[in-house]
């Protein structure tokens, strides 16, 4: 007989943990009716068990001793929502090794150690769920693992960091500088404690590594993801971008290129009319192309206690259903070790350059000849009337290798007649 009860140990009682605990306690009966399995929250591991909490838990449920969860043979599942790399990774590994299923919302651990932990879970014949590790409440991992499994995934392009999307939106619409827009994001409760996580693209790179690993069944470590944040975007770029028919977004992109993968995070000019151009505020959206399904867009709240708890508890209910179905063999995904990440130099993309140049004869000819020598074809060029000395000159290109585009930027910026290449952004 399958167990009619799944006993849960929860690690972490912060914003997400409180929502998970509340949901499990308040909906226990409804979930039991839905799955035929009683989801019982037994223990909660916290740093300080006597600190007042926003969720009222039965006496004795809180503990500060990891072994009360990890060494308790009665617990069948560990739910990890504490975050951070350590000790969370060690706890997850210990739980898996002792035969417990694991459900986690941990982006850092899954980005850096996901494939190894999934393989360990396969060997231990337990499940490791991580829907909540990327995109809060948006069903991404299960979509790749189940609904899109029949496809060869060609491309995943995502607005996956809510803070930078909010910040870029405020810079575009209200003309704010980066610091002022970021202060608004913090006041609204979006930004990470360390703003560099958002602004420099670390958060998006970790999320892309997880999504790409699942979508392409490749081992994509965040260190292999090419990464540029939004510090190089100037408020004036939004005006030029709009004039040219684009919005500026921080995108996370992964794409299949023959036997390799592109995996990159950087600001991109996205054409008006593309579904990702209209993603507003701190929302997230993931655009997927599969060979069978065509184009799919998934969007919603990418962070926050309740959306993230939706994914965590959803994973628990899926686990309960598998227990109820008496699933006996739980296997790890088979990663394709041949599929490696292409160096950014070899990625072909389009680019946008904004330069301040001397307003005099032969200047554009000198610039254009560098583009020509590097084999970079110009798609559009705008020059505004100058202030008497410097003129602003904006170019978009046709696709070229990123190495050629960056060499072009470097060579143009060294010309005597060029004051600076103020911005260099890619174009979708
Ligand atoms: N700081 C993240 C974001 C939320 O802005 O999307 C947590 O992943």
């Amino acid at each position: 007989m399958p167990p009619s009860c799944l006993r849960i140990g929860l690690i972490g009682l912060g914003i997400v943990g409180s929502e998970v605990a509340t949901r499990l306690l308040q909906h226990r009966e409804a979930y039991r009716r839905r799955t035929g399995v009683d989801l019982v929250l037994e223990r909660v591991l916290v740093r300080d068990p006597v600190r007042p909490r926003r969720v009222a838990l039965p006496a004795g449920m809180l503990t500060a001793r990891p072994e009360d969860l990890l060494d308790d043979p009665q617990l069948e599942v560990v739910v990890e929502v504490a975050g951070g790399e350590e000790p969370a990774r060690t706890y997850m590994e210990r739980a898996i090794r002792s035969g417990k299923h694991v459900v986690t919302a941990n982006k850092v651990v899954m980005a850096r150690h996901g494939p190894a932990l999934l393989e360990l879970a396969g060997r231990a014949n337990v499940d490791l769920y991580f829907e909540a590790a990327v995109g809060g409440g948006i069903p991404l991992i299960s979509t790749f693992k189940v609904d899109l499994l029949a496809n060869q995934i060609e491309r995943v392009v995502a607005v996956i960091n809510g803070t930078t999307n909010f910040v870029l939106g405020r810079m575009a619409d209200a003309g704010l500088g980066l610091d002022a827009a970021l202060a608004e994001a913090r006041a609204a409760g979006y930004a990470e404690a360390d703003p560099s996580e958002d602004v420099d693209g670390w958060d998006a790179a970790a999320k892309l590594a997880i999504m790409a690993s699942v979508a392409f069944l490749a081992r994509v470590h965040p260190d292999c993801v090419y990464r540029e944040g939004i510090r190089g975007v100037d408020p004036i770029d939004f005006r030029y971008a709009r004039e040219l028919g684009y919005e500026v977004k921080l995108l996370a992109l992964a794409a299949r290129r023959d036997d390799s993968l592109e995996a990159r995070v950087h600001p991109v000019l996205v054409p008006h009319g593309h579904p990702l151009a209209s993603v507003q505020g701190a929302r997230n959206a993931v655009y997927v192309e599969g060979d069978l399904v065509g184009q799919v867009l998934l969007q919603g709240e990418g962070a926050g206690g309740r959306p993230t708890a939706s994914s965590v508890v959803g994973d628990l209910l899926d686990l309960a259903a598998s227990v109820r179905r008496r699933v006996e063999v739980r296997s790890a995904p088979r990663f394709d070790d041949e599929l490696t990440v292409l160096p950014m130099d070899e990625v072909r993309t389009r680019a946008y350059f904004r330069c301040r140049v001397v307003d005099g004869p032969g200047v554009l000819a000198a610039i254009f000849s560098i583009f020509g020598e590097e084999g970079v074809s110009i798609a559009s060029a705008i020059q505004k009337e100058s202030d008497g000395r410097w003129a602003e000159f904006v170019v978009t290109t046709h696709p070229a290798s990123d190495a050629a585009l960056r060499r072009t930027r470097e060579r143009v910026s060294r010309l005597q007649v060029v004051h600076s290449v103020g911005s260099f952004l890619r174009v979708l």
Side-chain angles (χ1 to χ4, degrees), residues 156-171:
V156 178
V157 187
V159 171
I160 202 68
N161 179 268
T163 303
T164 46
N165 201 55
F166 176 92
V167 165
L168 292 172
R170 294 296 291 150
M171 290 172 77

Side-chain angles (χ1 to χ4, degrees), residues 117-363:
L117 286 171
L118 285 162
E119 284 166 343
L120 183 68
R123 289 197 295 278
N125 200 24
V126 296
D127 270 324
L128 168 57
Y129 284 91
F130 53 102
E131 183 64 68
V134 185
I138 310 173
L140 297 174
I141 305 304
S142 60
T143 302
F144 286 121
K145 273 173 58 181
V146 180
D147 306 293
L148 297 180
L149 191 57
N151 289 262
Q152 170 159 293
I153 302 296
E154 305 293 354
R155 225 150 70 108
V156 178
V157 187
V159 171
I160 202 68
N161 179 268
T163 303
T164 46
N165 201 55
F166 176 92
V167 165
L168 292 172
R170 294 296 291 150
M171 290 172 77
D173 297 337
L176 300 183
L178 174 63
D179 290 342
L182 188 59
E184 282 193 4
R186 302 195 84 143
Y190 298 134
E192 298 279 335
D194 173 3
S196 167
E197 280 287 311
D198 297 311
V199 170
D200 295 314
W202 296 104
D203 173 80
K207 290 168 176 170
L208 183 69
I210 299 173
M211 281 195 294
S213 300
V214 179
F216 298 98
L217 285 175
R219 291 174 208 271
V220 181
H221 192 277
D223 293 349
C224 302
V225 175
Y226 176 82
R227 182 186 51 76
E228 273 176 35
I230 61 169
R231 292 187 202 270
V233 185
D234 189 276
I236 200 166
D237 293 319
F238 298 96
R239 292 218 296 276
Y240 282 116
R242 285 188 173 169
E243 189 175 331
L244 290 161
Y246 297 94
E247 294 293 325
V248 184
K249 299 282 178 192
L250 181 73
L251 294 188
L253 305 97
R256 192 182 292 276
R257 291 282 172 261
D258 305 318
D259 295 333
S260 315
L261 278 184
E262 286 180 19
R264 49 195 171 108
V265 168
H266 51 67
V268 180
L269 268 63
V270 181
H272 291 147
H274 189 286
L276 296 178
S278 54
V279 178
Q280 300 293 324
R283 283 173 75 78
N284 285 183
V286 180
Y287 169 87
V288 185
E289 284 177 15
D291 65 342
L292 201 50
V293 72
Q295 299 162 353
V296 174
L297 183 71
L298 300 141
Q299 62 177 315
E301 299 303 324
R306 287 174 64 81
T308 308
S310 164
S311 291
V312 171
V313 179
D315 280 350
L316 277 169
L317 293 172
D318 192 53
L319 174 64
S322 76
V323 166
R324 186 70 186 164
R325 285 199 313 274
R326 303 188 201 198
V327 171
E328 286 186 353
V329 179
R330 297 164 191 272
S331 51
R334 288 171 191 234
F335 292 102
D336 178 353
D337 286 319
E338 308 282 294
L339 209 51
T340 53
V341 176
L342 203 61
M344 187 62 186
D345 274 357
E346 292 172 36
V347 167
R348 286 184 68 77
T349 181
R350 298 182 56 205
Y352 155 104
F353 295 72
R354 180 174 54 79
C355 326
R356 296 193 78 204
V357 299
V358 170
D359 193 9
V363 172

